[in-house]
Amino acid sequence: MVKSHNKNLGIIRYADDFIITSKTKEEMDKIVPRVKQWLSDRGLELSEEKTKLAHIDEGFNFLGFNVRQYGGKLLIKPQKEKVLSFCKKLGQIIKDNSSVKQEALIRKLNPVLRGFANYYQRVVSKETFTYITYRVWKYLWKWCLRRHRNKGKKWIANKYFRTIDGVKWQFCCETSNREGKTKFLRLYDIGKHPIIRHIKIRGTASPLDPELKSYWEERTRKLGKQFWAKGSKYSQVANNQKHKCPRCNQPLLNGENIETHHIVPVKDGGSNDIENLIHLHTACHKQEHSKTKFKAGSMA
């Protein structure tokens, strides 16, 4: 954007949001007018509401994250306002679904909780996730009490909550899977969501360099160990595929969404065993199903 050969300055940009860093306030005072002029020449201007000059010890918010230095150590946490707004959103979802079945409510809440956790999983979020767990429990307990005004609290607790794997007060219910077997459907426990640290890419490493093939494969395996729980069924499926999408032959963890595909569909008697599962990128998964439909249409 604004060209500068000053090594004491830095810029980080995402879409139309950006931050500029400098080692001294004097340098920042000089660069701000240049930024305004650069934008003005293109018919743009800085947002007075969003623009802020702050010391790193005071911290600042960027893309929903709070960046601040504590005693000389830089920590990135979820922005407080975003967390409170998210909690209110959860409370509203629960309130708006006061009459639905427990299973329907869980299915509405789980993707919302997972989405928030995935967005903030690479920063200092454990305390935030635990706080959200507490807030959600309070909302759900009120939801339960309103539905059974003439029942005792013990009866209500036994109806809607269970102890699973030694963890008490799990909001869950019985449901049937596609094979007709009964299983427990539980509310996603965001407090247990793992914090996954970003693995920095080696400075000169290019995925297009054939000599660095082993480096990228090893990096993908390390990311996979964080993405899927160690020793889990889905982790074993990824290992069997050597952490590559069998349709496009690209690394599974390349930034695209991943879906698990049944080689033999459940409706045709396929199982959920490891041998019948493969991980595919979402686009590849759609192509796989399109291919299946085409073959079925050709045979008809």
Side-chain angles (χ1 to χ4, degrees):
M1 191 174 70
V2 179
K3 292 184 178 180
S4 174
H5 299 291
N6 192 333
K7 295 182 179 180
N8 292 329
L9 295 173
I11 181 169
I12 300 94
R13 182 180 72 86
Y14 184 85
D16 61 345
D17 291 314
F18 63 90
I19 58 175
I20 297 176
T21 62
S22 73
K23 290 189 175 182
T24 66
K25 185 177 183 299
E26 289 72 25
E27 289 176 326
M28 187 61 73
D29 289 336
K30 293 178 182 178
I31 199 67
V32 170
R34 293 182 60 190
V35 172
K36 290 183 177 180
Q37 184 60 53
W38 189 92
L39 291 172
S40 178
D41 293 342
R42 291 156 178 80
L44 304 172
E45 62 180 17
L46 284 176
S47 168
E48 296 296 333
E49 180 183 351
K50 296 175 67 175
T51 303
K52 177 184 178 182
L53 184 64
H55 191 278
I56 192 62
D57 288 343
E58 176 188 351
F60 60 89
N61 297 321
F62 185 61
L63 302 178
F65 298 91
N66 179 260
V67 183
R68 183 179 173 186
Q69 188 168 268
Y70 297 83
K73 185 176 182 179
L74 182 69
L75 297 181
I76 304 176
K77 301 180 179 182
Q79 183 181 336
K80 183 178 179 180
E81 293 81 2
K82 297 294 184 182
V83 175
L84 296 178
S85 176
F86 179 69
C87 288
K88 289 181 180 179
K89 176 182 177 180
L90 292 171
Q92 193 61 49
I93 291 174
I94 294 171
K95 184 178 180 180
D96 291 343
N97 290 275
S98 59
S99 60
V100 304
K101 292 183 178 181
Q102 185 181 15
E103 178 180 347
L105 180 60
I106 293 175
R107 294 192 185 279
K108 284 181 179 292
L109 289 173
N110 278 355
V112 179
L113 289 165
R114 283 198 180 95
F116 185 91
N118 288 336
Y119 187 72
Y120 288 106
Q121 68 183 354
R122 296 189 180 277
V123 297
V124 184
S125 302
K126 201 65 180 178
E127 186 176 331
T128 296
F129 291 167
T130 301
Y131 171 74
I132 292 173
T133 297
Y134 167 72
R135 286 286 296 268
V136 171
W137 183 88
K138 291 192 71 174
Y139 290 138
L140 290 174
W141 184 239
K142 288 183 180 179
W143 181 85
C144 295
L145 293 177
R146 284 196 297 266
R147 292 165 69 90
H148 303 283
R149 300 181 185 277
N150 298 323
K151 295 290 185 179
K153 292 182 178 179
K154 185 175 181 180
W155 183 93
I156 294 173
N158 290 334
K159 178 174 177 62
Y160 292 103
F161 298 88
R162 297 176 183 271
T163 298
I164 300 177
D165 298 330
V167 181
K168 299 180 179 179
W169 291 97
Q170 294 289 297
F171 189 71
C172 68
C173 62
E174 289 187 354
T175 185
S176 298
N177 59 20
R178 289 184 292 181
E179 296 172 327
K181 297 180 180 178
T182 300
K183 66 173 185 177
F184 283 116
L185 174 68
R186 72 174 84 177
L187 183 74
Y188 184 70
D189 189 352
I190 191 172
K192 296 292 191 299
H193 191 92
I195 302 300
I196 302 174
R197 297 303 178 206
H198 173 67
I199 301 175
K200 190 175 180 179
I201 296 174
R202 201 164 65 199
T204 57
S206 168
L208 302 178
D209 188 344
E211 294 184 2
L212 294 176
K213 181 180 178 181
S214 59
Y215 165 78
W216 286 103
E217 289 179 347
E218 179 61 24
R219 175 182 167 81
T220 301
R221 279 194 290 271
K222 287 181 179 179
L223 289 172
K225 289 178 181 179
Q226 296 179 336
F227 191 84
W228 293 286
K230 184 179 180 180
S232 69
K233 175 168 64 177
Y234 299 107
S235 175
Q236 293 178 54
V237 171
N239 289 335
N240 291 343
Q241 300 175 209
K242 297 183 179 180
H243 292 268
K244 288 186 177 181
C245 174
R247 185 166 181 85
C248 66
N249 203 36
Q250 295 299 311
L252 281 171
L253 300 176
N254 64 353
E256 298 181 54
N257 290 330
I258 299 170
E259 297 178 1
T260 303
H261 173 71
H262 289 80
I263 300 172
V264 178
V266 174
K267 64 182 180 62
D268 295 333
S271 69
N272 282 315
D273 294 337
I274 293 174
E275 295 74 15
N276 193 45
L277 300 176
I278 54 173
H279 296 312
L280 297 168
H281 296 129
T282 297
C284 295
H285 195 193
K286 290 179 179 178
Q287 291 178 10
E288 189 69 27
H289 280 286
S290 296
K291 181 182 69 174
T292 303
K293 289 179 181 179
F294 177 76
K295 285 183 177 180
S298 300
M299 293 171 62

